[in-house]
Amino acid sequence: MNIMDFNVKKLAADAGTFLSRAVQFTEEKLGQAEKTELDAHLENLLSKAECTKIWTEKIMKQTEVLLQPNPNARIEEFVYEKLDRKAPSRINNPELLGQYMIDAGTEFGPGTAYGNALIKCGETQKRIGTADRELIQTSALNFLTPLRNFIEGDYKTIAKERKLLQNKRLDLDAAKTRLKKAKAAETRASIWAEEVTKSEQELRITQSEFDRQAEITRLLLEGISSTHAHHLRCLNDFVEAQMTYYAQCYQYMLDLQKQLGSFPSSYCNNNQTSVAPVPSASSNVIGSSALSSTSGLVIASPTNLIDLKECSGSRKARVLYDYDAANSSELSLLADEVITVFSVVGMDSDWLMGERGNQKGRVPITYLELLN
């Protein structure tokens, strides 16, 4: 019976505290009650924590999209994670493409040029798929997990203490309001003297609790700087994982390029080739080696093209593929036609000036084979 009485009294006290806070909060919003302001340093720490939380969530979610573009797969992984179960391993897109290429090459015949090339491409795509899988695993462990731990751990603790601080502030301001009212009533009736004493004691208690909670919250918030330092190390790990992944993919494609470039020239059929390299001023280093050894293309040596860019004369060139002019400054081309080309000072390094009869315009050098 005593326990029940205690529970009822505690419930009544909690309800009274909640009601007092609600009244204080409402009066503050209506401008009818004073509000204790937090010191500037604490406010700054709270703002920094909130900013960290918002941007950490955005970076984390977008990184997940980058590593796993399929939303259904992300939802499935989330469900398995919440169930504390390992998600089933699934074949990724490069691996699936690689398997299709290998199967197609096997059916066309490994002894044929196309079949052999498909098999080699498929094997490379599978290696890229494996590298992609390693990138996801490394990034999830070294980058996403620490970010998620902050959101679901440290920041939840901060939010809890911040809410508690808000409640203590409301209790403090409610006590100030009651003391103010009691003092105002005391001037009219001496019977309120006891109420004033009680209110002063309550104010001292709530002030002490508020100061203590403010200090606890401040200590937690000052740890945000350490969180930033930790996330910086995690970011370096993520960048290193990406660097390893792209370096592996680049090496795989270089090896594939060399293999395809070793095919006999009798396997090539230019009339059936429809490759349209995109001109890029930043691709001189990689693009030069790619153009000189890609299977199925009979393209003039990049050195000859550079020589032509540097000289002031004109040369005959055969067009390798059809090209539709994008604007009036360019010249449309038809595969196998022969045109005159020459360089113009100041023109982009991936273009030459082409001339056919009385027609003249810019043409991409990757569509041309210089003739001797």
Side-chain angles (χ1 to χ4, degrees), residues 5-33:
D5 288 343
F6 174 76
N7 290 337
V8 170
K9 290 179 180 178
K10 185 176 184 301
L11 182 62
D14 290 344
T17 301
F18 176 80
L19 180 60
S20 173
R21 290 170 181 170
V23 170
Q24 178 66 27
F25 182 80
T26 303
E27 289 181 348
E28 287 176 359
K29 291 297 182 182
L30 295 175
Q32 299 175 357

Side-chain angles (χ1 to χ4, degrees), residues 16-127:
T17 301
F18 176 80
L19 180 60
S20 173
R21 290 170 181 170
V23 170
Q24 178 66 27
F25 182 80
T26 303
E27 289 181 348
E28 287 176 359
K29 291 297 182 182
L30 295 175
Q32 299 175 357
E34 296 181 0
K35 175 182 177 182
T36 299
E37 299 293 342
L38 303 177
D39 64 78
H41 178 59
L42 186 55
E43 286 284 8
N44 183 56
L45 290 175
L46 287 169
S47 176
K48 185 177 180 180
E50 182 67 18
C51 182
T52 301
K53 178 250 187 183
I54 291 173
W55 284 111
T56 299
E57 283 183 332
K58 289 183 178 181
I59 292 171
M60 183 177 69
K61 290 178 180 178
Q62 194 56 40
T63 303
E64 291 173 344
V65 172
L66 173 69
L67 298 176
Q68 178 51 269
N70 188 338
N72 294 328
R74 291 201 303 275
I75 293 174
E76 182 182 2
E77 290 171 358
F78 175 79
V79 171
Y80 274 100
E81 181 182 348
K82 291 302 179 183
L83 295 176
D84 198 19
R85 294 176 57 185
K86 184 178 180 181
S89 178
R90 69 168 63 82
I91 188 170
N92 57 31
N93 290 331
E95 290 173 332
L96 183 59
L97 174 60
Q99 190 59 54
Y100 285 166
M101 286 182 169
I102 292 173
D103 292 344
T106 302
E107 186 165 343
F108 295 151
T112 65
Y114 185 42
N116 192 2
L118 278 172
I119 291 175
K120 291 183 182 298
C121 288
E123 292 170 348
T124 299
Q125 290 296 330
K126 280 197 164 187
R127 285 195 288 271

